[in-house]
């Protein structure tokens, strides 16, 4: 019985999709446990490029059952689109299980998300993906949300849908929100519902039984630690628990079932959307990372903000996640640099701290303290073992392990599934 959780330890887009694909080789089931189609998880296989938003990245290895668990918020229309995209590329999606307990992202959730973002001024903007994630989790918390299992009973589902859709129009249209065409929206959701009903299952039982039967279960996190609703840079966060603790509530697996935590860490930092980002680079160095790393959102296409690795932040998130092993990605993006910086402390006024501030107000005021390391100025993209890495690359990785108090388990030196090695 073994369950691995994989999470991002920064601001998302660390390369979780790629590492999930690699780890799926030894897994018997892959499960998404939180977030929704705000995620964009990329996997490259021999020149083929896949971006998964809701379906576990494990789907790309035939024969491994994939589950969308109760902690996920699911846009039925988008899920069907993703299934069709995969089918058109000869990927079998017939075995996907969708939790009866997951909450559904409904058309009004997307309108509310867009309305709030577009009408927010200045620092009130979050920079969401406008996929309806926050409003869907709000409906879950205020207990008006619609769960996946309700789709089975068409009469009940339609009534709940229409009641909530009309409530949206009554409440939001007078404030300036877009009017929802209830009939058109229902037609679209109904078509998706017909496809999804056969996939509905009590995934809490599925996952726990698999674990009890000795199947190695891999839990795929979305977003990253600093987007966690409790542990992130609130309010500039997403609306779910992205850290490893969320894997239990999001699947129904008890804490004792988790045997291993993987933290995916990009060799530098990126962030999409608003909110403080201490090591952000606004100069040509930041532009270099964006260009070399192809740092444009896999979901929204937005350019990602780029900066040096923040070891203060990563140490904190490795602690919160209880990371057993780091998977360090995108080392190759640094190949051409003469010097590489790591943030090892923050200055706040005349104080120097090595812990992560609890409040974004403080985080926005910190000045990063950097340690400079020599680069390796040679390509690492074809390297497949630790000993063949340039010595300066080994030193950089060892320093990350030391500063984050974590062990390195995997190094990734390119986007392809094969550009990866165990340490
Ligand atoms: P995720 O959301 O954590 O799954 O990450 P994304 O897919 O949003 O972003 C990671 C990007 O980096 C994708 O375009 C990947 O193909 C790419 N990538 C992953 N690992 C590596 C790596 O080691 N080197 C390079 N150059 N690209 C990588
Ligand atoms: P993956 O899984 C990076 C960010 C958004 C925004 C904030 C809130 O690919 O790493 P939301 O739409 O969730 O309400 O937006 O969270 N965000 C992500 N940033 N990677 C992601 O997912 C993200 N999912 C949400 O940009 O700042
Ligand atoms: Mg992503």
């Amino acid at each position: 019985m073994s369950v691995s959780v994989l999470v991002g330890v920064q601001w998302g887009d660390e390369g979780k999709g790629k590492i999930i694909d690699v780890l799926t080789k030894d897994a018997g089931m892959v499960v998404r446990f939180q977030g929704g189609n705000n995620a964009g998880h990329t996997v490259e296989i021999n020149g083929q490029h896949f971006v998964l938003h809701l379906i576990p990245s494990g789907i790309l290895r035939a024969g491994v059952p994939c589950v969308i668990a109760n902690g996920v918020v699911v846009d039925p229309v988008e899920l069907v689109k993703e299934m069709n995209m995969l089918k058109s590329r000869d990927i079998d999606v017939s075995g996907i299980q969708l939790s009866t307990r997951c909450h559904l992202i409904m058309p009004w959730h997307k309108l509310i998300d867009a309305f709030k973002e577009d009408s927010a001024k200045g620092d009130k903007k979050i920079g969401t993906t406008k996929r309806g994630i926050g409003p869907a989790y709000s409906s879950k918390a205020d207990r008006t949300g619609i769960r996946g299992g309700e789709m089975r009973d068409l009469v009940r589902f339609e009534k709940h849908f229409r009641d909530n859709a009309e409530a949206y129009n009554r409440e939001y249209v007078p404030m300036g929100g877009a009017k929802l065409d209830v009939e058109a929206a229902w037609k679209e959701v109904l078509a998706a519902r017909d496809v999804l009903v056969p996939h509905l299952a009590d995934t809490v039982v599925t996952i726990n039984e698999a674990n009890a039967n000795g199947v190695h279960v891999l839990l795929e996190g979305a977003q990253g630690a600093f987007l966690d609703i409790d542990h992130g840079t609130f309010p500039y966060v997403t609306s779910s628990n992205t850290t490893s603790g969320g894997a239990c509530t999001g699947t129904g697996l008890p804490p004792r079932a988790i045997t291993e935590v993987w933290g995916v860490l990009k060799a530098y930092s990126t962030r999409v959307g608003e909110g403080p980002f201490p090591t952000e680079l606004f100069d040509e160095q930041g532009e270099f990372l964006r260009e070399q790393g192809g740092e444009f959102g896999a979901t929204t296409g937005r350019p990602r903000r780029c900066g040096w690795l923040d070891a203060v932040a990563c140490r904190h998130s490795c602690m919160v996640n209880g990371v057993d092993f780091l998977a360090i990605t995108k080392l190759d993006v640094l190949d051409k640099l003469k010097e590489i910086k790591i943030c090892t402390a923050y200055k706040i006024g005349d104080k120097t701290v090595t812990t992560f501030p609890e409040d974004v107000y403080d985080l926005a005021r910190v000045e990063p303290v950097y340690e400079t390391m020599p680069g390796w100025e040679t390509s690492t993209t074809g390297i497949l073992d630790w000993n063949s890495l340039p010595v300066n690359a080994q030193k950089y990785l060892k320093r990350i392990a030391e500063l984050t108090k974590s062990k390195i388990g995997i190094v990734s030196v390119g986007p392809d599934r094969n550009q990866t090695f165990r340490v």
Side-chain angles (χ1 to χ4, degrees), residues 13 40-41 298 304:
D13 303 327
H41 294 180
R304 295 173 180 154

Side-chain angles (χ1 to χ4, degrees), residues 13-18 40-42 304 330 332-333 412-415:
D13 303 327
E14 297 90 350
K16 297 176 294 293
K18 172 184 164 161
H41 294 180
T42 314
R304 295 173 180 154
K330 305 191 93 161
D332 55 297
V333 173
S412 169
V413 290

Side-chain angles (χ1 to χ4, degrees), residues 103 109 112 134-146 160 164 171-172:
H103 273 252
H109 291 131
I112 296 171
Y137 277 116
S138 294
S139 293
K140 175 177 177 175
D142 78 11
R143 293 150 293 175
T144 58
I146 305 180
H160 204 169
N164 287 11
E171 201 180 325
Y172 278 86

Side-chain angles (χ1 to χ4, degrees), residues 176-193:
K179 188 168 190 311
L180 177 68
D181 179 342
V182 180
E183 294 313 317
W186 170 245
K187 244 176 110 177
E188 208 183 7
V189 168
L190 179 61
R193 172 261 176 204

